[in-house]
Amino acid sequence: MAGYGWDEYDVRDGGRQTIHDAGNNVDITTEFIKIPGGRHGGSWGVRIRGTPREDAPPNLKTTVIFYTAMEGLGSLEIANDKDSLGIEGTVTITGQTAELGDFKIDVTEGPESNMHPPPTHPSSQEKRLDRTMVASFEVPEEAIWQTKPLLFTHMKSEIDAYVERFGNDNGPPPWQLFTIANDPKAGNMHIVQKVFQGPFEFDVIFSSASAPQHVTSDDLTEGIKAATNAFSDRFSTLLTPNAPFTNPKYEKFSRAMLSNLVGGIGYFYGDSITDRSYAPEYEEENEGFWQETAEARMRAELKMEGPSELYTSIPSRPFFPRGFLWDEGFHLLPVADWDIDLTLDIVQSWFNLMDEDGWIAREQILGAEARSKVPQEFQVQYPHYANPPTLFLVLETFIDKLRLNAFSQTDSPTQRNFSDDVRSTHLTNPDLALSYLRTLYPLLKRHYFWFRRTQWGDIKSYDRDAYSTKEAYRWRGRTPQHILTSGLDDYPRPQPPHPGELHVDLISWMGMMTRSMGRIAETLGEEEDASEFQGYETAILRNIDDLHWDDKAQTYCDATIDDYEESVHVCHKGYISIFPFLTGLLPADSPRLGAVLDLISDPEELWSEYGIRSLSKRDELYGTEENYWRSPVWININYLAVQSLLTIAQTPGPHQSQAREVYTRLRKNLVHNIFNQWERTGFAWEQYNPETGAGQRTQHFTGWTSLVVKIMVMPDLSSGGGGSGEGRGSGHDEL
């Protein structure tokens, strides 16, 4: 595969996707549109087009499979009369459900320019390849997601029959051999197959019976053009890259990145596996607790919970097609600039998953299909495991946008063109915005206090000197090798693990979360709550320095307890060391800021020409073992760094000039490398090599790597401008 993904996509209108199938010598384009109307969600259509690649052989043969299935109550039937040679013209499937009402699906024949393989074998007299084949099945509902093995099993029976009839030496050519039976009948799954020679095109059209009219191919043509124009206009207004990324190639790249992020949004439904044993070992209070928790997990009686539903984006359609809690906050930052109402729907969906204690599972593995993509040892979710609360970054973005909208004295181009858009009703209607926040607020408080109750760190037992005896935090779920719950997996931590550990990244996340809660309470007029959160925030900010700043190392560090029962710092310079800065907790006049900026910009420490490394080159564990968070460049953390640098660069203070210089270089390095790797390989990547810039680990990772869209929109400060936050895309809208 030479690359695949959405070239342009909007969840409300549709878009265009291209699959560069080098292995089969064909480029497939799908153009999908939604057509509103009626009482059941409207209609939709997709145009499938195949173009032989330049290196394709003459008369390239391509087979295309489309299937539709019915889960639950309803009907799904082939409307065409059965023809033993195959169905001529359009294949029509009719159906009915309570939610969709009556509908039909037309699989068209396509234009007259479509060609099909000519008959060259006796079998073609019984199965005409210039017609469409349909095979129907009655499949148990729980097995519908396994259509691919069902298809291959069915196709093998057809192949075996050909071999038995014609022998191994006189069998049909491959394009005739690998076909389904032409057997339309009653069933809840119908598989449709077409075989083409050369370029091809056909449509699949879903028409709701309650819509004003059935959709035709002409309607589809007009809708595709309209959707493309609407996407182009909106993108140019909202997300055109700023200098130095003004070459049209960067806008094409940015459109694709946003479209694949938005194109990964989906609805997920199913049961999940949870350990509700609440074993006392899970408190992780004893030395050697990781061994005790492992034993407790072995004897736990696991339970299926749900079913639950989730509306979410995902990190990668082919590799991680499910919701991840800490990923989602990063995912939604670009989406919020495109469609804030969509963003808020997704945030609400996540918080609706919360249990009565305030816990949300960090990985949403809903249903058997989702579990089939996850190793068994990672399928179980634990109600004492947390994950970085990045959804609060999104809520802060919403608050920023509300305030900007309220205090704006003149219409900007964005407001002028899109103020009445369905995507921004929560910005243009203050009452609706407040109603949304007020509905969500009890869940936010429950989640916040769950964090404080379950992830607390011990100050008093070890006579630690700190402003507050309460504001310290420790991730649960620790092993000697990993803290998966932190999101930073194998990043070096104190060894061996100790119940007296304190984690600087977690207290930083708590500081951000507390700030966000205070702003929301203030917006809602909850003055007592706002005052309470302000008190927590002050204590957290003081304790970050008291508990985690190391004067000798001049950096922030995790803390642990040594053999003499004393609190000591364990310093592995890297992402952990700059977390108070990343989460926006260091003001422009902070006495710690200079050391943080020096660490970021030192090529012997974190700086690389491709982004900020996850671990210092000087650390003895740099690049060792799994090397997942021990050197690679991660775009989500680099985005936080760029955003925080921008804030300092636009704020008068002793480090403004240095921040502007580092911001300009880092922004340029990140965009150029992500773009160059996308252009070279056809993919966005999970992480990037700090020595070569090469994309690595998961390809088509269009989740938080799509933050490059926001980085390109940020202002160009290379000439020293933008100090006051002027210009589109400037300012501190996210943190």
Side-chain angles (χ1 to χ4, degrees):
M1 195 70 71
Y4 54 90
W6 292 101
D7 304 312
E8 57 185 46
Y9 184 74
D10 177 72
V11 294
R12 300 183 188 273
D13 296 330
R16 182 181 65 253
Q17 180 178 225
T18 304
I19 303 167
H20 301 285
D21 189 350
N24 288 305
N25 303 109
V26 64
D27 289 336
I28 304 280
T29 300
T30 62
E31 294 172 299
F32 170 72
I33 64 162
K34 298 180 180 181
I35 304 169
R39 304 182 306 278
H40 298 93
S43 305
W44 54 263
V46 58
R47 176 158 293 160
I48 300 97
R49 182 182 294 115
T51 304
R53 294 171 62 86
E54 290 185 1
D55 58 349
N59 299 322
L60 176 72
K61 313 298 190 299
T62 305
T63 187
V64 182
I65 301 286
F66 169 80
Y67 76 92
T68 182
M70 175 66 65
E71 290 183 318
L73 299 177
S75 64
L76 197 66
E77 301 175 350
I78 299 296
N80 302 75
D81 293 333
K82 186 171 182 177
D83 188 323
S84 60
L85 298 180
I87 296 176
E88 289 189 276
T90 296
V91 174
T92 298
I93 304 168
T94 60
Q96 183 275 332
T97 71
E99 297 83 3
L100 295 175
D102 294 326
F103 62 85
K104 73 168 183 172
I105 300 173
D106 289 329
V107 184
T108 70
E109 187 176 23
E112 293 182 359
S113 58
N114 283 346
M115 302 293 290
H116 307 275
T120 59
H121 188 270
S123 60
S124 61
Q125 302 304 314
E126 301 170 1
K127 191 186 292 184
R128 297 270 300 272
L129 299 187
D130 59 348
R131 301 190 181 191
T132 303
M133 290 151 281
V134 178
S136 302
F137 304 89
E138 190 66 45
V139 182
E141 184 176 342
E142 64 273 12
I144 284 177
W145 66 272
Q146 297 176 301
T147 301
K148 187 175 179 179
L150 183 151
L151 169 65
F152 286 171
T153 298
H154 166 76
M155 196 173 282
K156 184 179 184 302
S157 67
E158 290 294 293
I159 294 170
D160 290 344
Y162 277 135
V163 171
E164 182 178 354
R165 181 177 176 186
F166 297 106
N168 289 321
D169 298 329
N170 192 36
W175 49 90
Q176 185 83 44
L177 181 66
F178 292 96
T179 53
I180 63 177
N182 185 50
D183 187 24
K185 57 187 178 184
N188 64 346
M189 176 184 289
H190 306 287
I191 299 178
V192 179
Q193 182 178 21
K194 291 177 175 287
V195 183
F196 298 100
Q197 178 172 292
F200 61 86
E201 176 186 310
F202 67 97
D203 300 333
V204 177
I205 299 173
F206 174 97
S207 293
S208 171
S210 67
Q213 60 186 30
H214 291 303
V215 180
T216 67
S217 290
D218 288 341
D219 296 328
L220 188 55
T221 299
E222 294 178 7
I224 290 170
K225 182 179 179 181
T228 293
N229 291 338
F231 180 91
S232 180
D233 290 346
R234 186 171 183 82
F235 193 94
S236 297
T237 301
L238 296 176
L239 294 172
T240 296
N242 275 320
F245 314 113
T246 55
N247 188 300
K249 66 182 182 180
Y250 290 108
E251 180 161 333
K252 178 183 177 182
F253 164 60
S254 187
R255 290 182 181 211
M257 292 297 291
L258 175 74
S259 297
N260 282 284
L261 173 63
V262 175
I265 293 173
Y267 174 83
F268 300 86
Y269 181 86
D271 52 14
S272 57
I273 306 174
T274 305
D275 178 353
R276 293 280 184 183
S277 63
Y278 299 104
E281 292 88 345
Y282 291 163
E283 297 294 329
E284 302 183 9
E285 293 180 337
N286 303 321
E287 294 185 33
F289 63 80
W290 64 94
Q291 296 168 325
E292 296 176 347
T293 57
E295 293 171 1
R297 287 195 297 271
M298 290 292 291
R299 66 173 183 266
E301 294 184 7
L302 305 179
K303 295 182 178 180
M304 301 298 294
E305 294 192 348
S308 302
E309 61 179 1
L310 177 63
Y311 188 41
T312 186
S313 49
I314 56 176
S316 170
R317 280 195 291 162
F319 298 102
F320 298 109
R322 56 190 179 276
F324 290 79
L325 181 55
W326 95 293
D327 294 59
E328 191 62 9
F330 291 112
H331 295 166
L332 292 179
L333 292 174
V335 179
D337 291 340
W338 180 256
D339 191 326
I340 189 66
D341 285 10
L342 168 67
T343 302
L344 296 176
D345 282 346
I346 292 173
V347 170
Q348 179 75 64
S349 183
W350 270 97
F351 281 106
N352 286 345
L353 293 168
M354 188 183 304
D355 72 5
E356 60 184 10
D357 293 326
W359 171 71
I360 302 172
R362 66 190 184 92
E363 189 170 347
Q364 293 297 320
I365 311 169
L366 304 181
E369 183 175 8
R371 286 192 289 275
S372 73
K373 302 280 286 185
V374 182
Q376 188 170 4
E377 62 267 28
F378 296 119
Q379 293 179 10
V380 182
Q381 301 298 301
Y382 297 91
H384 60 292
Y385 283 5
N387 218 203
T390 57
L391 289 176
F392 286 82
L393 295 174
V394 183
L395 292 171
E396 284 205 291
T397 295
F398 180 43
I399 297 293
D400 288 339
K401 290 180 181 293
L402 281 176
R403 294 182 178 180
L404 181 65
N405 199 58
F407 289 108
S408 178
Q409 298 299 311
T410 59
D411 284 343
S412 70
T414 301
Q415 292 166 320
R416 184 170 60 251
N417 289 335
F418 298 111
S419 61
D420 60 346
D421 193 278
V422 68
R423 299 168 178 82
S424 56
T425 58
H426 286 82
L427 295 182
T428 57
N429 186 335
D431 290 340
L432 185 62
L434 291 175
S435 175
Y436 174 87
L437 288 174
R438 194 165 297 283
T439 299
L440 200 62
Y441 188 59
L443 295 175
L444 301 180
K445 288 182 67 175
R446 191 194 307 172
H447 192 48
Y448 175 80
F449 286 105
W450 175 87
F451 261 92
R452 294 181 63 87
R453 188 172 64 252
T454 64
Q455 308 300 304
W456 64 279
D458 194 344
I459 296 177
K460 295 180 181 180
S461 298
Y462 304 102
D463 295 324
R464 285 167 159 144
D465 186 16
Y467 170 83
S468 167
T469 59
K470 296 181 179 179
E471 298 302 334
Y473 296 91
R474 172 170 66 97
W475 295 109
R476 301 310 194 263
R478 173 92 154 91
T479 69
Q481 295 79 27
H482 300 103
I483 307 183
L484 298 178
T485 50
S486 74
L488 306 183
D489 296 16
D490 67 333
Y491 191 98
R493 302 283 186 163
Q495 294 294 346
H498 194 282
E501 277 182 32
L502 302 177
H503 299 132
V504 65
D505 53 328
L506 180 50
I507 195 173
S508 300
W509 284 122
M510 289 303 299
M512 180 281 296
M513 191 184 192
T514 304
R515 181 187 65 213
S516 176
M517 288 298 299
R519 295 184 67 193
I520 294 168
E522 182 181 290
T523 301
L524 292 174
E526 299 287 347
E527 296 181 4
E528 290 187 10
D529 283 3
S531 178
E532 180 181 359
F533 291 125
Q534 180 60 58
Y536 295 147
E537 183 180 356
T538 298
I540 287 172
L541 294 176
R542 291 286 296 271
N543 274 20
I544 286 175
D545 278 357
D546 290 349
L547 296 171
H548 293 285
W549 179 258
D550 189 286
D551 283 326
K552 181 179 180 180
Q554 284 291 289
T555 195
Y556 290 102
C557 307
D558 285 340
T560 192
I561 304 302
D562 66 12
D563 293 339
Y564 304 99
E565 292 296 299
E566 297 290 334
S567 181
V568 295
H569 288 142
V570 176
C571 301
H572 293 282
K573 291 182 177 180
Y575 287 167
I576 292 294
S577 313
I578 61 175
F579 245 90
F581 171 74
L582 295 173
T583 47
L585 302 181
L586 294 188
D589 59 354
S590 168
R592 316 299 188 198
L593 185 56
V596 169
L597 296 180
D598 289 344
L599 177 61
I600 288 173
S601 58
D602 187 345
E604 294 304 312
E605 298 275 15
L606 303 191
W607 186 265
S608 85
E609 293 303 306
Y610 312 105
I612 299 172
R613 310 169 193 271
S614 43
L615 189 64
S616 169
K617 284 184 69 175
R618 290 198 175 108
D619 195 286
E620 63 181 0
L621 297 178
Y622 179 80
T624 59
E625 298 185 14
E626 295 174 37
N627 192 23
Y628 199 43
W629 289 86
R630 294 189 176 189
S631 75
V633 173
W634 290 82
I635 304 309
N636 60 331
I637 303 299
N638 274 265
Y639 166 78
L640 293 178
V642 173
Q643 183 60 61
S644 294
L645 286 165
L646 175 60
T647 299
I648 303 301
Q650 294 179 322
T651 305
H655 305 289
Q656 184 177 23
S657 178
Q658 183 183 10
R660 179 187 296 121
E661 186 269 337
V662 178
Y663 161 81
T664 298
R665 291 170 57 207
L666 179 58
R667 176 173 174 260
K668 183 177 180 180
N669 287 351
L670 286 167
V671 173
H672 281 169
N673 188 61
I674 300 169
F675 170 78
N676 289 339
Q677 294 301 312
W678 177 77
E679 192 173 51
R680 182 179 70 85
T681 66
F683 297 106
W685 293 83
E686 182 180 9
Q687 55 179 222
Y688 294 85
N689 188 292
E691 313 302 332
T692 67
Q696 56 190 34
R697 299 279 182 166
T698 303
Q699 66 180 28
H700 202 68
F701 195 89
T702 51
W704 62 39
T705 300
S706 298
L707 286 163
V708 69
V709 173
K710 286 187 68 66
I711 296 173
M712 283 189 279
V713 174
M714 291 177 181
D716 176 24
L717 303 185
S718 59
S719 62
S724 301
E726 69 269 16
R728 179 181 56 79
S730 63
H732 201 3
D733 292 340
E734 288 73 37
L735 300 180

